[in-house]
Amino acid sequence: MNQTTKAAEQIHPVKNRIGGVFMHVSNMERSVNWYHKLFGLPDRSSVTDKVHEITMDGGSGLVLDQHGYDRGLSMAERPLLMFQSPDVHAAYRFAKQNGIPIEWEIEQYPGMAFFTLRDPDGNLLMVCGNPGETESGNGSEPMEAAAVRYDGGGTWLAVSGNLTQGELTPEGLVLTGRAVTDESFRTPIRIETTLRLEAGCLRLLFGPHGELTFNYGPSASGGAGEEFYVNHPSLHKTFSYTGKGTVPYGQWVRVEWTIRERSMEIHLDGQLFHAQEGYFGDTVGLAGVGCDNGQVTVRSFFVEPLAVSEGVTHLAVSSEGEPIDELIPAEVCHPVITGDGLWLSYNDQWGDARTKAAYSVPFQCRSLIRTDTNSLVLYGGASAQVKFHTGGALSFIDPITKEETWAEGKGALPNKWTEVIWKMESDRATITVDGEVRLEHTGDFSGCSFRLGIGPDQGSALVVKSVEVVTLI
């Protein structure tokens, strides 16, 4: 092999190597647990992403992807596999030059980019890898642009590098990538920016992982996508809202992101766009703004520190109107008593609020709760027995056989005070929500006895107004 041929192979932008095969799934947590069991891998009790890769022997990964189901895409609109690329922008130009139809334009993140194309039979394929160079690059070494700094109104934004390009104009800072603050901030804070989005999706950034993504996804009308994503500021945890709405294109909009110790709110032009509870205290990081596959002009951007003061206590557990026990929260839940009840959340470690006493079957546990992320877990002893999943499913683990029962679409909880009853009889477990039976599971539970617990899922929050436990005859 001569040197010219060898060099050509080294720089070809699409490798003849499969980086991953896509398996499109409707419930990520259930599928990850299933495949881990199939391959003899360690159990997974909680999954935080809509995409999860399982490393396979032999190189290529098995990529479980829930986005297609969330968006209601047909199978023809879901990629089959992805090819690796050392330079995604070069691969994109190569495909265009060779008349290969591009389906989805380049989507770019720090250190990674991808686009999709179709083969002659219409199979959807993804090219994914190092972003590489845009048209202005020389196709070899990464291009370092001169640093751009912008005073957003007391808070400075810095732009540098080929992945976060910006330009100073009379209207403000024009970005085709991202800009972040010079300094770090600690929650609670308020981030406010006035901007004009021309195309693509808007992103606001804070902390190690925090990201708000507006206008994401496909649009039937050819306009902005209506998917909204929230990445937890201190966790690698994503919450998706597929029909949330959009930031209008071509007009100035004021966006406020308030991150308190136990809640977040997003306002567009003074109107509440999204609210979400969780524990965000003591998160430290840079703040920023940017867009993907488009352009945004930032007229102002500043970060304002806020104050916090809260206390902690326990919640009484009653039986037929009389107090009989206490619900004692773990410190990892960052518990606090508010005017509504016992507020619970957890981020890095499993945690719940649990009774002092153990209760034997048959019993009924009635809880009045509220959650804005459809997150509720009921515990029997140290095990999570009942789980309402953020995707709307409901699951129950048999405490004797460890068999897992799923009820798809039965785990949806309204964002209001909700009565949840967990009833354990000697031969049956029943879950009821606001008077509606959501799940039933038969078994032999006559010897079961455990402390009862309640808590949220990772990155979420839960308010418990009351808990009542009644021993049945």
Side-chain angles (χ1 to χ4, degrees):
M1 180 183 298
N2 60 45
Q3 293 298 315
T4 302
T5 303
K6 185 175 181 179
E9 288 183 351
Q10 289 175 340
I11 65 172
H12 191 74
V14 182
K15 294 184 177 180
N16 61 340
R17 180 182 303 164
I18 296 175
V21 176
F22 288 101
M23 189 68 67
H24 298 280
V25 302
S26 59
N27 185 302
M28 183 59 71
E29 184 165 348
R30 181 183 61 181
S31 295
V32 170
N33 287 335
W34 191 90
Y35 279 101
H36 275 234
K37 184 181 295 184
L38 178 66
F39 298 136
L41 299 173
D43 290 340
R44 290 289 299 267
S45 60
S46 181
V47 182
T48 61
D49 290 326
K50 296 294 185 179
V51 178
H52 179 85
E53 182 174 357
I54 299 176
T55 302
M56 307 291 286
D57 292 339
S60 299
L62 178 65
V63 182
L64 308 182
D65 190 340
Q66 191 177 319
H67 284 296
Y69 278 93
D70 287 350
R71 297 175 185 171
L73 300 179
S74 67
M75 292 304 295
E77 302 303 314
R78 305 175 189 178
L80 300 175
L81 52 82
M82 62 180 176
F83 298 118
Q84 293 180 346
S85 172
D87 188 330
V88 170
H89 279 281
Y92 177 86
R93 293 193 295 271
F94 174 82
K96 297 280 282 188
Q97 291 165 3
N98 285 273
I100 299 174
I102 304 297
E103 189 70 18
W104 298 345
E105 296 294 316
I106 292 177
E107 189 163 320
Q108 186 166 311
Y109 304 89
M112 188 275 282
F114 67 87
F115 68 93
T116 61
L117 46 78
R118 292 194 185 274
D119 73 2
D121 294 300
N123 295 308
L124 190 61
L125 308 170
M126 180 180 287
V127 178
C128 180
N130 181 41
E133 291 306 310
T134 60
E135 289 286 357
S136 57
N138 60 16
S140 56
E141 295 302 319
M143 175 184 61
E144 279 296 324
V148 174
R149 298 183 75 251
Y150 179 72
D151 183 358
T155 302
W156 285 85
L157 292 171
V159 186
S160 64
N162 67 309
L163 299 184
T164 51
Q165 297 174 352
E167 179 185 0
L168 297 177
T169 72
E171 290 190 305
L173 174 63
V174 176
L175 291 170
T176 55
R178 305 183 185 191
V180 295
T181 56
D182 284 344
E183 60 179 315
S184 293
F185 299 89
R186 179 184 297 273
T187 54
I189 60 171
R190 183 172 68 92
I191 301 169
E192 180 177 323
T193 178
T194 299
L195 50 82
R196 186 180 66 211
L197 184 64
E198 303 297 344
C201 57
L202 172 68
R203 300 187 189 270
L204 292 185
L205 318 170
F206 174 70
H209 302 284
E211 188 168 283
L212 305 180
T213 303
F214 302 82
N215 296 27
Y216 190 83
S219 170
S221 62
E226 293 194 346
E227 297 179 28
F228 175 65
Y229 287 87
V230 177
N231 276 21
H232 194 288
S234 59
L235 297 176
H236 193 45
K237 169 75 174 182
T238 302
F239 300 91
S240 59
Y241 305 90
T242 54
K244 192 71 174 183
T246 64
V247 171
Y249 285 154
Q251 66 184 61
W252 293 106
V253 178
R254 187 177 81 256
V255 185
E256 298 174 71
W257 183 10
T258 303
I259 311 173
R260 298 185 178 89
E261 189 174 25
R262 302 169 191 274
S263 65
M264 294 194 305
E265 289 183 353
I266 296 94
H267 288 79
L268 300 184
D269 285 334
Q271 299 297 312
L272 181 64
F273 180 80
H274 180 76
Q276 183 170 323
E277 294 185 340
Y279 187 75
F280 314 111
D282 297 324
T283 302
V284 180
L286 304 175
V289 60
C291 69
D292 287 310
N293 300 318
Q295 177 178 295
V296 62
T297 301
V298 181
R299 186 160 65 190
S300 66
F301 186 97
F302 67 89
V303 181
E304 175 189 11
L306 304 175
V308 63
S309 59
E310 294 171 314
V312 174
T313 188
H314 300 161
L315 183 71
V317 175
S318 66
S319 178
E320 299 179 345
E322 297 295 328
I324 60 168
D325 201 344
E326 281 188 315
L327 206 60
I328 303 175
E331 286 302 314
V332 296
C333 291
H334 311 286
V336 64
I337 287 289
T338 70
D340 289 333
L342 177 61
W343 189 97
L344 303 168
S345 180
Y346 92 90
N347 285 350
D348 297 319
Q349 304 176 51
W350 281 102
D352 64 296
R354 199 165 302 183
T355 59
K356 290 181 178 180
Y359 296 88
S360 299
V361 172
F363 66 80
Q364 176 178 287
C365 179
R366 174 188 174 275
S367 303
L368 191 61
I369 62 94
R370 189 188 72 232
T371 170
D372 59 11
T373 53
N374 205 94
S375 168
L376 170 63
V377 184
L378 301 178
Y379 293 82
S383 301
Q385 301 293 334
V386 181
K387 188 169 184 180
F388 291 79
H389 300 262
T390 56
L394 175 60
S395 64
F396 173 79
I397 298 179
D398 188 305
I400 303 300
T401 66
K402 306 305 179 184
E403 175 188 355
E404 197 171 19
T405 300
W406 285 79
E408 293 294 343
K410 295 295 186 178
L413 295 169
N415 184 13
K416 64 181 184 66
W417 290 115
T418 305
E419 180 190 69
V420 178
I421 297 177
W422 175 20
K423 188 176 183 180
M424 290 289 288
E425 300 172 277
S426 60
D427 61 350
R428 184 180 304 274
T430 308
I431 309 300
T432 304
V433 177
D434 287 337
E436 176 191 354
V437 175
R438 296 286 187 89
L439 183 148
E440 285 187 305
H441 178 81
T442 58
D444 182 6
F445 310 125
S446 55
C448 291
S449 177
F450 30 63
R451 294 167 62 197
L452 303 178
I454 187 169
D457 199 356
Q458 187 181 37
S460 297
L462 176 72
V463 182
V464 185
K465 190 168 189 175
S466 63
V467 175
E468 180 185 56
V469 180
V470 177
T471 301
L472 305 176
I473 299 176

